[in-house]
Amino acid sequence: MQKVAVVTGASSGIGFALCTRLLQEDASLHICLACRNMEKANATRDKLLSHFSKVDISIVQVDVGKLDSVLRAAKEIKIRFHRLDYLFLNAGIMVNPRVSFWAFLQGIFSRRALRMLTTAEGLMSQEDRVTPDGLQEVFATNLFGHFVLIRQLEPLLCCTETPSQLVWTSSVNAHKRNFSLDDFQHSRGTEAYSSSKYATDLTSVALNKHFNKRGLYSTVVCPGVVMTNMTYEILSPFLWKLLFPILWLLRLFTPTYTLTPYNGAEAQIWLTKQKPESLDPLVKYHSCTTVFGKNYVVLRKMDVSEDMAEKLYVKLLDLEKQLLKSHKPCSIKNLARSDSDGKTV
C-alpha cells in the first residue's frame, strides 16, 4: 500500500521544507498537508506540485489550537485513509514574544553567552492568551491539540505488523525549570513556549510506554535555530538579514544554527530512515549544520523523568475527557474536500 504522511503546520517554515524533503526521498509517498489557512495550504500544494508533478498531495484544514477543528480534521482523515505511516506534529506558536535587550547585554559578556545564544534562555518572554475552549493558547496549539489528534487517529496509527511514527517538533528551549505539573498549561508564567516544548518531550515518552506494543512509536526532534515566520515575529526580517552573517559564524561554536528550514528538517528525514523500534524514547534528535553547510543529526538524552511523563499523560487524558464530555459531536456532512478526487488511500 502507498505510504501516507500527515504534516501539521505544512504551509511554511519547517513544515514546508519537510514536505519537500520527504518527496525528494520518496516520490511515491502521499502527503497530507494539515494546515489552518486553506489559501496558504493550496498555494503550498501548487508549489510542491510544480517541483514534483506526479505526486499525491491532499489537504485537510485543522487549527490544532481549537478542539472543534481537531475533531473535524480527525474525522476527515479517517474517511480518506486506511492507515497512517507518519504523523509529523509540527504546527506551533509563540504568542507575543518579547526580547529583553538588557538581558542580552548582560549575558553576551558572561560565561553563559553561548548557551544564551543557542537556547534564547533568559532572552524572551511571552504573553499567552486563552482559547475559546478555555485553554492556554500555546499549550493548546503546541501540545494538547496534537495529543487529541493522536488519540482520535489511533485506529490508523496502531498496527503491530507495520509500525507508525509520531515525530514531534520540540526545541532546545524545552527547559525543565519552566514546567510544572501543578500548572502544566503554564497559565501563571511567562515561558509558555519553553513549558509547552518540555511537556511535548514528556508526552512523547509516555506515548511510547502506552503504544509501542501496538506498533506506534514517538520521537522528538529539535530543528535548531531556524529562520521561520515564528522567528520573524521576534525581530523584523530586515534585522535578521543583518544578523545572518553573525549567526552563520556561530556555527564555529555550535552546529545548532541550522538557519534554513531545509537544514532544520534534517532530523525528521533521518528518522524516517530508521527502524522505529530501534530508537531510544528518552533521546531528542537534533538537526545540526557545519560551518561548511553539511547537515547531520546529534542524539542527546532528554532531561525528563518517566514518572513525571506518566503523571502528565494522566492529566492530559483527564483534560481530554473533560472537554470531550461537554463538547458537541461535530458533523461531517459539510466537510470541504480539498483534494482533487477525494479518494481514500
Side-chain angles (χ1 to χ4, degrees):
M1 292 178 62
Q2 183 182 28
K3 287 189 175 183
V4 178
V6 174
V7 182
T8 68
S11 62
S12 63
I14 299 292
F16 174 72
L18 173 60
C19 292
T20 300
R21 296 194 61 175
L22 285 170
L23 291 173
Q24 287 175 343
E25 294 289 335
D26 182 5
S28 69
L29 182 68
H30 182 116
I31 291 186
C32 178
L33 311 176
C35 304
R36 178 177 56 183
N37 186 309
M38 294 303 287
E39 183 178 349
K40 291 182 178 179
N42 280 298
T44 297
R45 181 172 63 176
D46 291 343
K47 191 172 182 179
L48 289 169
L49 288 173
S50 69
H51 290 91
F52 309 95
S53 58
K54 296 182 180 180
V55 296
D56 289 324
I57 302 174
S58 59
I59 299 174
V60 63
Q61 185 174 22
V62 60
D63 182 343
V64 288
K66 297 178 180 178
L67 183 61
D68 201 31
S69 180
V70 171
L71 296 177
R72 188 180 300 111
K75 283 190 175 183
E76 184 162 354
I77 290 171
K78 284 188 283 189
I79 290 173
R80 292 187 189 184
F81 306 109
H82 296 306
R83 63 165 277 107
L84 300 178
D85 297 274
Y86 306 104
L87 177 53
F88 291 95
L89 307 159
N90 171 72
I93 59 169
M94 184 186 293
V95 178
N96 298 322
R98 296 181 179 178
V99 175
S100 171
F101 288 98
W102 175 243
F104 173 80
L105 292 175
Q106 285 183 312
I108 198 66
F109 299 109
S110 69
R111 293 180 179 179
R112 62 184 183 88
L114 184 60
R115 181 176 179 83
M116 179 187 71
L117 292 172
T118 303
T119 66
E121 181 180 343
L123 280 181
M124 291 190 303
S125 63
Q126 307 111 56
E127 292 182 7
D128 206 351
R129 299 183 290 245
V130 177
T131 71
D133 296 312
L135 304 174
Q136 294 300 126
E137 187 174 20
V138 174
F139 162 81
T141 304
N142 294 358
L143 173 65
F144 188 67
H146 283 132
F147 178 78
V148 174
L149 184 63
I150 293 166
R151 295 268 297 159
Q152 293 292 313
L153 296 178
E154 277 183 34
L156 277 65
L157 290 165
C158 296
C159 177
T160 54
E161 295 179 0
T162 310
S164 296
Q165 286 182 271
L166 304 173
V167 183
W168 299 80
T169 300
S170 181
S171 171
V172 71
N173 193 244
H175 299 306
K176 184 177 181 179
R177 62 184 165 277
N178 293 327
F179 176 80
S180 169
L181 277 173
D182 295 328
D183 183 25
F184 62 92
Q185 292 194 47
H186 203 73
S187 60
R188 299 189 294 271
T190 59
E191 297 287 349
Y193 182 80
S194 175
S195 174
S196 71
K197 292 304 181 181
Y198 188 78
T200 291
D201 297 349
L202 291 171
T203 302
S204 179
V205 171
L207 287 169
N208 280 309
K209 176 183 176 182
H210 289 274
F211 287 96
N212 281 179
K213 291 182 179 179
R214 296 173 60 188
L216 179 59
Y217 295 84
S218 179
T219 50
V220 288
V221 303
C222 172
V225 179
V226 180
M227 299 297 102
T228 66
N229 291 338
M230 191 179 294
T231 52
Y232 290 144
E233 290 178 3
I234 302 170
L235 295 175
S236 70
F238 175 73
L239 288 176
W240 281 120
K241 287 180 180 179
L242 292 178
L243 291 172
F244 194 88
I246 298 174
L247 299 178
W248 181 80
L249 286 174
L250 282 172
R251 286 178 179 171
L252 291 169
F253 307 97
T254 173
T256 57
Y257 278 76
T258 51
L259 299 183
T260 69
Y262 186 92
N263 294 342
E266 183 69 19
Q268 284 100 321
I269 294 301
W270 184 86
L271 284 169
T272 64
K273 301 176 183 179
Q274 314 305 312
K275 291 184 177 181
E277 58 271 24
S278 69
L279 299 171
D280 188 337
L282 299 178
V283 161
K284 183 179 293 184
Y285 299 85
H286 293 252
S287 297
C288 295
T289 306
T290 69
V291 71
F292 300 108
K294 182 180 179 181
N295 295 322
Y296 62 102
V297 177
V298 170
L299 286 60
R300 294 175 183 165
K301 281 283 187 178
M302 295 187 289
D303 181 20
V304 294
S305 159
E306 293 183 70
D307 179 62
M308 181 180 286
E310 183 61 23
K311 289 178 179 177
L312 175 61
Y313 184 74
V314 171
K315 287 180 178 289
L316 293 176
L317 289 176
D318 288 343
L319 180 59
E320 178 195 39
K321 182 178 179 181
Q322 175 187 337
L323 290 175
L324 291 180
K325 186 177 180 180
S326 60
H327 195 272
K328 294 180 180 180
C330 60
S331 172
I332 60 172
K333 291 181 180 179
N334 299 315
L335 286 174
R337 293 299 183 123
S338 301
D339 51 337
S340 58
D341 56 8
K343 65 180 179 180
T344 300
V345 178

